[in-house]
Amino acid sequence: MKIADDWQDYKILASSDGMKLENWKGVVLLRPDPQVIWSGGNLYSADIHAVYHRNEKGGGYWEKRKPFPDEWTVSYKDLTFKVKPMGFKHTGLFPEQAVNWNELRRIIELAKSRGNREIKVLNLFAYTGAASVACAKSGATVTHVDAAKGMVERAGENARLSGVDSGIRYIVDDCMKFVRREIRRGNKYDGIIMDPPSYGRGPGGEMWKIERDLFGFVQTCAEVLSEKPLFMLINSYTTGLQPAVLKNILMLALKNFKGTFDAYEVGIATEEGIPLPCGAGGLFTGEGYGNK
């Protein structure tokens, strides 16, 4: 497991009975987490600003217990992101992904040190753009694609907060349709990031189901990789989709590229001394850019 354990502005204080208690730079939130199937954590060890309650019919709502801003910022190293409690328990940021931000930035910075060339990164299902911002901060030119206009706008806000005033192109579109157009245009990328949902619907009503569509999608994305790509990263929060599945998909879809293939759980450190599992990652790293 790769564990995000170097945050200053974010901490998991406790976890128990399907919930996690988090401190987001002084704002304490209590949210559901399906991985927390144990008991014994003290969920009331701090004053709580808000609790997310699930509805029996799906979705849920935030119960505010203490005043706090509608939105605020947290920082990770030289990056700054907006946090805002939203529907379906989200806050607009996944702190555990810091382990992937670190690795992608290392690869990009190593490539930049070996030659003064443009490094093009494609971020698909890109949400609020934390990975886009991280890559751009290290000197890559990023194309950020997501079907939700509001999330793309938030990505632009995160870029500005992190001092990234250029280097990111924002696209509101269905990811598969966009990639197919890039193939026809002959555009190529040195790195691809994707964070596909379990289920989804594009702006034109296109349906996505990860078990059915992911392998074909990765095969299609392979057609826009440059001749000697730096990386391809697949993130997954789909319960039951093992890291080895992501590795197998990458190995089969990218069999014509030289490099290394890795798969791992992604987690985040807690104040209880145990890591909280938060999903899986599959990473292809181009030849000569592995982390020794």
Side-chain angles (χ1 to χ4, degrees), residues 14-251:
S15 58
S16 184
D17 302 303
M19 303 291 284
K20 59 184 175 185
L21 183 67
E22 308 164 292
N23 187 322
W24 295 82
K25 198 178 179 181
V27 177
V28 179
L29 304 178
L30 184 60
R31 293 193 290 162
D33 191 302
Q35 299 291 342
V36 182
I37 61 172
W38 53 85
S39 300
N42 185 1
L43 297 178
Y44 302 96
S45 59
D47 290 334
I48 297 172
H49 290 82
V51 181
Y52 186 85
H53 299 280
R54 291 193 184 278
N55 287 330
E56 293 182 1
K57 297 181 180 180
Y61 67 96
W62 286 96
E63 174 202 353
K64 280 194 173 185
R65 295 187 175 180
K66 292 177 61 179
F68 66 95
D70 289 337
E71 54 188 34
W72 64 102
T73 62
V74 298
S75 293
Y76 177 78
K77 297 183 178 179
D78 57 348
L79 307 174
T80 300
F81 305 110
K82 182 175 288 187
V83 175
K84 180 179 181 179
M86 300 183 292
F88 199 65
K89 75 175 183 176
H90 290 171
T91 61
L93 187 67
F94 294 94
E96 65 275 3
Q97 286 298 318
V99 295
N100 286 323
W101 308 335
N102 292 344
E103 180 64 4
L104 299 185
R105 295 187 71 177
R106 181 195 68 79
I107 295 170
I108 291 166
E109 289 167 11
L110 178 58
K112 295 288 284 187
S113 72
R114 292 177 177 177
N116 185 21
R117 67 182 181 92
E118 182 183 22
I119 295 171
K120 298 175 64 177
V121 173
L122 176 61
N123 190 6
L124 301 166
F125 309 99
Y127 195 48
T128 57
S132 297
V133 174
C135 291
K137 192 75 173 179
S138 287
T141 299
V142 182
T143 298
H144 173 108
V145 186
D146 196 279
K149 182 179 179 181
M151 295 302 99
V152 174
E153 291 173 349
R154 176 68 62 84
E157 295 176 13
N158 284 331
R160 290 186 289 273
L161 286 169
S162 293
V164 179
D165 298 320
S166 61
I168 303 178
R169 178 171 64 128
Y170 304 97
I171 306 291
V172 179
D173 202 351
D174 174 78
C175 289
M176 177 61 92
K177 288 184 176 181
F178 178 80
V179 172
R180 286 172 175 162
R181 285 201 304 274
E182 291 293 86
I183 293 171
R184 293 195 297 270
R185 294 166 179 149
N187 289 333
K188 299 290 184 179
Y189 295 89
D190 302 295
I192 297 177
I193 307 162
M194 63 179 75
D195 197 345
S198 299
Y199 302 93
R201 188 181 295 273
E206 306 86 354
M207 291 299 298
W208 165 275
K209 186 176 181 181
I210 195 168
E211 294 88 350
R212 181 192 66 200
D213 298 325
L214 180 59
F215 180 61
F217 182 69
V218 176
Q219 285 183 306
T220 302
C221 288
E223 297 185 48
V224 297
L225 281 174
S226 58
E227 184 178 348
K228 294 182 179 180
L230 299 178
F231 60 81
M232 181 184 282
L233 171 67
I234 306 174
N235 291 312
S236 175
Y237 290 92
T238 301
T239 303
L241 198 63
Q242 300 297 323
V245 173
L246 304 180
K247 182 177 180 179
N248 289 346
I249 288 172
L250 287 169
M251 291 181 71

Side-chain angles (χ1 to χ4, degrees), residues 7-21:
W7 274 90
Q8 300 297 316
D9 285 358
Y10 173 82
K11 297 183 185 299
I12 297 180
L13 304 176
S15 58
S16 184
D17 302 303
M19 303 291 284
K20 59 184 175 185
L21 183 67

